């Protein structure tokens, strides 16, 4: 395939413009000009989330592939001290989160982070989220490519692109280095799994999966693509998402709901067509990957293991993934002393050190233990318990999942099994994918609402039908007992060669009920109306929505799609596809025109220029300069291709100048009637 010239340089992880943009938005918010859903959508795109505690914010960093350098660790520690020095948390998407940041300190924290090169841009919001990678990427004997490096390249490929700023809903992405798919690809919006076809390395594309209240496994989108085509894969999925997902019902606008509504074959066809359209267009530059032949089977299972190159890999577990500022500084020093350039964050909220000499591994293990981290020397030690933050900080949490997870660890209830705890149905703790999972809910007993957990058993993310089997609901105060009962039963009755999932299927609903009977058949007392880790009586959560589920802002997404279409004009011309360039120029006219109409409360769905231009001439008679610009834009579409890009840009400028003069609350007939009455 002939490669065309890239459209523009790859994006840096941090740009000075990011902080300037955030500070300007914060100033507008303080002045009362940027409020409500517009403010929410703006700040989460910069990684700033509302917290359960009034006036406090969580700040999420974007860590592609979970790869962290010692310099980053020190910067994060410094930023955390500015914010108030709460514990920093490793997330199940290989990010880091800072907590309890007052609004007035958010810009100062971002300044420290960005000046140190640590990104937050598009760590949240309806964007292309952090690209995650399989657990031991860079050291796994089975891998064909370092999935963490792929995640880094993908981030630079699409960061700040207008197509990814205001999507109908977020898109989560993962990269796996081999067919084992340790990056949980079946439950991502886009998953790239390294493979080979006819001796050529590449990726299988899976997507449209997800967890949450309605979990669904993904479908195969593209059977094989080469690495230089990955930009076109992401573009194709985003374009289908923009064109067909439901922007109005935020609870049904993830890609998995598109599959449910249209069917897998239809979605696969749409993405295939969009991919073929994107393939010949120039993309941002792609740095070639280092491929290798696998020299082992399966990922490592021990916490300390030998890499294929003879080096040592080591896993350490901070308690529930929480780290203090001093620990972050100390970790930076330990990484440097060990003679390695980086460490990696795991989706299990642990740390992975790769490329160690045996002597360095011994010294590092001892130092990490002194630092308060548990160093795993075998699978399951320490306990593999993962939790979201729950009501400790999350505004939509129902139960205190973090406190429950801490109790499970303290009592040794998990045994050698993977336990995943979520404080609500949204599955941030990935309860659907654990050997034993729990998700928080509120349930009434004797007319009073109390904290409860539903038990899930036998999740396996690497299977297309690997969602855990839902079991009974237990009172929160009995949840740790429930975990220990299930773990004990698995250990005692698991057959040779049988997986935990197979065991759960063999037990069935009735079997799980019998096993959990001691946690179910307990008289209800006052403790059952107080959550684990709390002292006050449980109060059902107020009806609220997460920050990312805020209603869409038509002005923002139409502006972004207009900018993207201007870029498509140039890309089409560079690729020698004037027809594609002309269609893109027409979309600029239509999309930007729709912004003006939306400002006065009129929503149009057209992307063709003719109906939008007609409506503009009817509605914008009070703006003769705009109508003149419209005439020029339409004439340019009939002119030489060399004029299309400049004409599209001039039309965008004209629309921007006209926006303050659009009437947001009344029709022109109403305004005319009011004027006549004066």
């Amino acid at each position: 395939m002939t490669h065309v010239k890239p459209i523009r340089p790859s994006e840096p992880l941090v740009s000075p413009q990011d902080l300037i943009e955030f500070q300007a938005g914060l100033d507008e918010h303080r002045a009362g000009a940027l409020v409500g859903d517009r403010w929410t959508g703006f700040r989460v795109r910069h990684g700033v989330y509302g917290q359960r505690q009034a006036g406090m914010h969580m700040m999420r960093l974007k860590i592609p592939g979970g790869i962290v350098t010692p310099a980053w660790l020190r910067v994060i520690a410094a930023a955390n001290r500015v914010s108030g020095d709460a514990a920093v948390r490793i997330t199940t998407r290989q990010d880091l989160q800072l907590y309890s940041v007052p609004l007035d300190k958010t810009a100062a924290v971002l300044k420290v982070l960005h000046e140190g090169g640590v990104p937050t841009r598009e760590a949240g919001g309806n964007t292309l989220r952090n690209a995650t990678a399989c657990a031991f990427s860079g050291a796994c004997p089975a891998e064909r490519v370092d999935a963490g490096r792929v995640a880094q390249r993908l981030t630079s490929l699409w960061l700040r692109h207008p197509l990814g700023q205001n999507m109908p809903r977020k898109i989560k992405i993962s990269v796996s280095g081999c067919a084992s798919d340790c990056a949980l690809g079946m439950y991502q919006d886009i998953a790239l799994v390294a493979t080979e076809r006819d001796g050529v390395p590449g990726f299988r594309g899976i997507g449209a999966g997800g967890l949450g209240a309605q979990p669904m496994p993904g479908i195969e989108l593209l059977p094989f693509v080469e690495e230089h085509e990955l930009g076109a894969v992401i573009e194709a999925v985003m374009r289908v998402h923009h064109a067909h997902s439901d922007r109005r019902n935020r609870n049904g606008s993830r890609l998995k709901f598109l599959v449910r509504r249209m069917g897998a074959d239809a979605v696969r066809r749409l993405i295939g067509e969009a991919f073929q359209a994107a393939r010949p267009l120039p993309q941002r530059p792609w740095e070639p990957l280092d491929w290798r032949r696998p020299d082992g089977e399966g990922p490592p299972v021990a916490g300390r293991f030998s890499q294929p190159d003879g080096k040592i890999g080591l896993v350490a577990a901070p308690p529930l993934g929480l780290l203090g500022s001093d620990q972050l500084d100390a970790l930076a020093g330990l990484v440097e002393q060990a003679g390695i350039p980086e460490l990696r964050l795991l989706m299990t909220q642990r740390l992975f050190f790769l490329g160690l000499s045996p002597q360095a591994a011994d010294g590092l293990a001892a130092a990490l233990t002194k630092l308060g981290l548990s160093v795993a020397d075998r699978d399951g030690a320490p306990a593999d318990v993962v939790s979201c933050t729950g009501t400790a900080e999350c505004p939509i949490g129902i139960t205190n999942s973090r406190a429950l997870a801490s109790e499970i660890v303290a009592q040794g209830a998990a045994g050698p099994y993977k336990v995943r705890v979520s404080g609500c149905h949204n599955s941030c703790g990935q309860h659907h994918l654990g050997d034993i999972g729990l998700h928080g809910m509120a349930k009434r007993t004797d007319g009073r609402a109390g904290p409860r957990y539903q038990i899930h058993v036998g999740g396996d993310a690497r299977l297309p039908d690997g969602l855990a089997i839902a079991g009974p609901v237990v009172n929160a105060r009995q949840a740790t007992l429930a975990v220990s009962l299930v773990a004990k039963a698995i250990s005692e009755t698991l057959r040779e060669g049988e997986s935990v999932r197979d065991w759960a299927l063999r037990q069935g609903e009735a079997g799980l009920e019998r096993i959990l009977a001691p946690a179910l058949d307990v008289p209800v007392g006052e403790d059952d109306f107080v959550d684990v880790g709390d002292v006050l009586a449980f109060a059902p959560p107020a009806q609220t929505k997460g920050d990312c589920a805020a209603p869409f802002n038509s002005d923002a997404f139409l502006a972004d799609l207009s900018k993207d279409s201007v870029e498509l004009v140039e890309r089409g011309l560079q690729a020698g596809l004037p027809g594609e360039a002309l269609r893109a120029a027409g979309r600029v006219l239509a999309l930007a025109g729709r912004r003006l109409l939306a400002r006065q409360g009129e929503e149009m769905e057209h992307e063709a220029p003719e109906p939008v231009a007609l409506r503009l001439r009817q509605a914008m008679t009070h703006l003769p300069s705009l109508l003149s610009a419209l005439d020029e834009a339409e004439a340019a579409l009939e002119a030489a291709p060399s004029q299309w890009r400049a004409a599209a840009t001039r039309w965008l400028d004209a629309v921007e100048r006209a926006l303050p003069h659009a009437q947001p609350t009344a029709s022109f007939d109403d305004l005319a009637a009011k004027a006549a009455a004066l």
Side-chain angles (χ1 to χ4, degrees):
M1 175 180 176
T2 302
H3 295 272
V4 291
K5 182 181 178 181
I7 188 69
R8 58 176 170 171
S10 186
E11 284 287 317
L13 290 179
V14 172
S15 165
Q17 188 61 35
D18 293 336
L19 183 59
I20 294 170
E21 180 182 314
F22 180 80
Q23 184 65 65
L26 180 59
D27 291 343
E28 282 189 59
H29 174 67
R30 287 170 170 155
L34 184 61
V35 295
D37 294 324
R38 290 180 61 235
W39 166 242
T40 300
F42 172 83
R43 61 174 165 76
V44 296
R45 192 164 61 249
H46 288 271
V48 181
Y49 275 75
Q51 198 169 298
R52 193 177 194 91
Q53 294 76 16
M56 294 298 178
H57 295 76
M58 177 270 284
M59 298 183 66
R60 181 181 296 149
L61 320 183
K62 188 165 187 168
I63 315 291
I67 299 174
V68 183
T69 64
W72 276 21
L73 291 172
R74 291 193 174 95
V75 169
I76 295 164
N80 194 49
R81 291 188 179 100
V82 170
S83 71
D85 219 15
V88 176
R89 180 170 165 269
I90 305 171
T91 78
T92 54
R93 291 201 62 78
Q94 296 173 301
D95 288 317
L96 289 169
Q97 292 181 175
L98 280 59
Y99 291 94
S100 299
V101 185
L103 181 63
D104 288 345
K105 289 188 176 182
T106 52
V109 174
L110 285 179
K111 185 174 188 293
V112 174
L113 291 169
H114 291 183
E115 288 181 348
V118 179
T120 63
R121 177 87 189 206
E122 293 152 55
N126 295 313
T127 64
L128 191 66
R129 292 292 189 84
N130 192 44
T132 59
C134 43
F136 301 112
S137 59
C140 178
E143 72 181 11
R144 297 177 178 276
V145 69
D146 184 338
R149 301 299 178 202
V150 183
Q152 288 182 321
R153 286 165 172 75
L154 287 173
T155 301
S156 294
L157 207 64
W158 283 102
L159 194 64
R160 297 182 196 87
H161 195 285
L163 198 61
Q165 302 305 302
N166 285 282
M167 292 187 288
R169 274 299 251 122
K170 59 192 171 187
I171 284 182
K172 294 183 176 181
I173 183 169
S174 73
V175 186
S176 288
C178 74
S180 294
D181 188 22
C182 297
L184 317 183
M186 288 303 296
Y187 300 96
Q188 309 287 338
D189 297 288
I190 304 174
L192 302 167
V193 181
T195 185
E196 182 182 285
R197 187 174 70 178
D198 299 330
V200 177
F203 295 87
R204 177 185 177 218
I206 303 170
L211 297 175
Q214 301 181 57
M216 288 177 56
I219 61 173
E220 183 176 82
L221 302 177
L222 296 162
F224 182 82
V225 296
E226 296 185 46
E227 63 172 289
H228 64 267
E229 299 174 314
L230 291 183
V233 174
I234 307 300
E235 180 175 358
V237 176
M238 287 199 291
R239 291 203 184 281
V240 170
H241 193 30
H242 273 295
H244 298 282
S245 290
D246 188 346
R247 285 189 179 273
R248 301 185 185 281
N249 175 16
R250 309 299 280 167
N251 292 323
S253 51
R254 294 289 295 277
L255 282 169
K256 62 184 178 181
F257 296 110
L258 193 60
V259 172
R260 179 169 292 176
R261 175 161 53 89
M262 301 181 69
D265 289 342
V267 172
R268 191 180 292 114
R269 175 180 56 78
L270 287 171
I271 289 175
E273 291 171 353
F275 173 65
Q276 292 303 327
R279 284 180 75 196
L281 298 176
Q283 300 282 350
R284 291 174 177 176
W286 179 260
E287 183 181 349
L289 300 168
D290 294 324
W291 294 86
R292 68 178 184 83
R293 304 296 303 179
D295 51 12
E297 292 186 4
V301 295
R304 175 177 174 142
F305 57 89
S306 297
Q307 299 174 190
D309 60 2
K311 299 290 187 178
I312 301 296
L314 190 70
V315 177
L320 298 181
L322 297 172
L323 290 162
S325 301
D326 291 347
Q327 288 176 306
L328 291 167
D329 277 332
L331 280 170
L334 292 177
V335 171
E336 290 170 338
Q337 291 171 23
I340 56 177
E342 65 196 24
L343 59 79
R344 304 199 181 197
L345 311 176
L346 305 185
M347 286 179 280
T348 53
Q349 299 177 320
R350 299 184 178 197
L351 305 172
F352 174 47
F353 304 83
L354 68 165
L356 298 163
S357 68
Q359 297 81 7
D362 291 339
L364 180 60
L368 289 169
T369 301
K370 290 181 180 178
L371 197 58
L373 280 65
S374 301
V375 178
D377 57 4
R378 60 181 176 82
D379 190 32
D384 188 355
V385 179
V386 170
S387 170
C388 70
T389 190
T391 55
E393 284 100 6
C394 180
I396 60 173
I398 298 174
T399 57
N400 195 335
S401 49
R402 192 166 74 191
L404 176 62
S406 181
E407 182 178 280
I408 290 169
V409 172
Q411 296 189 19
Y417 304 108
K418 295 182 294 184
V419 175
R420 304 291 182 260
V421 190
S422 299
C424 74
H425 58 267
N426 283 313
S427 200
C428 294
Q430 300 178 341
H431 59 268
H432 295 292
L433 304 180
D435 293 329
I436 306 170
L438 306 95
H439 90 266
M441 61 174 62
K443 187 174 181 180
R444 290 192 172 274
T445 303
D446 298 331
R448 297 173 63 188
R452 307 288 184 261
Y453 283 93
Q454 182 164 26
I455 307 299
H456 303 258
V457 186
D460 189 337
R462 289 176 288 185
L463 299 176
D465 60 347
L467 293 168
I469 292 90
V473 174
V474 301
N475 293 346
R477 294 283 175 164
Q478 305 301 319
T480 299
L481 172 61
V483 171
S484 66
L485 290 170
V486 175
K488 183 173 183 290
I490 296 171
S491 296
E492 292 177 348
T493 62
L494 192 71
R495 295 171 180 170
E496 185 175 353
E498 187 176 42
S499 67
V500 174
R501 177 169 184 77
D502 290 337
W503 177 89
L505 290 169
R506 178 161 59 85
Q507 302 305 313
E509 186 177 343
L512 292 176
E513 290 269 2
R514 286 193 298 272
I515 291 166
L516 288 166
L520 298 170
D521 301 335
V522 177
V524 176
E526 283 301 312
D527 278 355
D528 293 305
F529 299 98
V530 178
D531 200 0
V532 176
D534 294 347
V535 294
L536 299 177
F538 177 79
Q543 292 295 320
T544 185
K545 60 178 181 286
D547 277 353
C548 289
F552 79 96
N553 180 343
S554 62
D555 187 80
F557 95 82
L558 288 170
D560 287 332
L561 293 185
S562 298
K563 295 173 186 175
D564 169 63
S565 293
V566 171
E567 188 171 285
L568 268 178
V569 175
E570 183 175 338
R571 293 171 69 199
L573 292 174
Q574 283 192 17
L577 298 170
E580 178 61 34
L582 182 59
R583 284 189 291 274
R587 284 197 295 273
V588 175
L589 191 155
L591 291 164
R594 285 168 56 190
R595 283 187 72 195
L596 278 170
L597 295 171
R599 280 290 178 95
Q600 65 178 42
E602 181 177 348
E603 298 288 346
M604 293 188 73
E605 300 296 332
H606 294 284
E607 288 201 358
E610 293 83 4
V612 177
L614 176 62
R615 184 62 190 130
L616 285 172
R617 287 192 170 90
Q618 295 168 341
M620 300 292 170
T621 55
H622 66 303
L623 295 175
S625 61
L626 175 78
L627 297 183
S628 295
L630 177 59
D631 291 338
E632 293 176 8
E634 287 187 311
L637 297 183
E638 304 293 331
S642 60
Q643 298 183 32
W644 294 342
R645 169 69 187 260
T649 302
R650 286 196 299 272
W651 172 241
L652 287 189
D653 291 342
V655 169
E656 287 289 346
R657 290 193 298 270
L659 283 172
H661 304 287
Q663 302 294 337
T665 58
S667 71
F668 283 96
D669 290 340
D670 290 337
L671 291 169
K674 289 178 181 178
L678 290 176

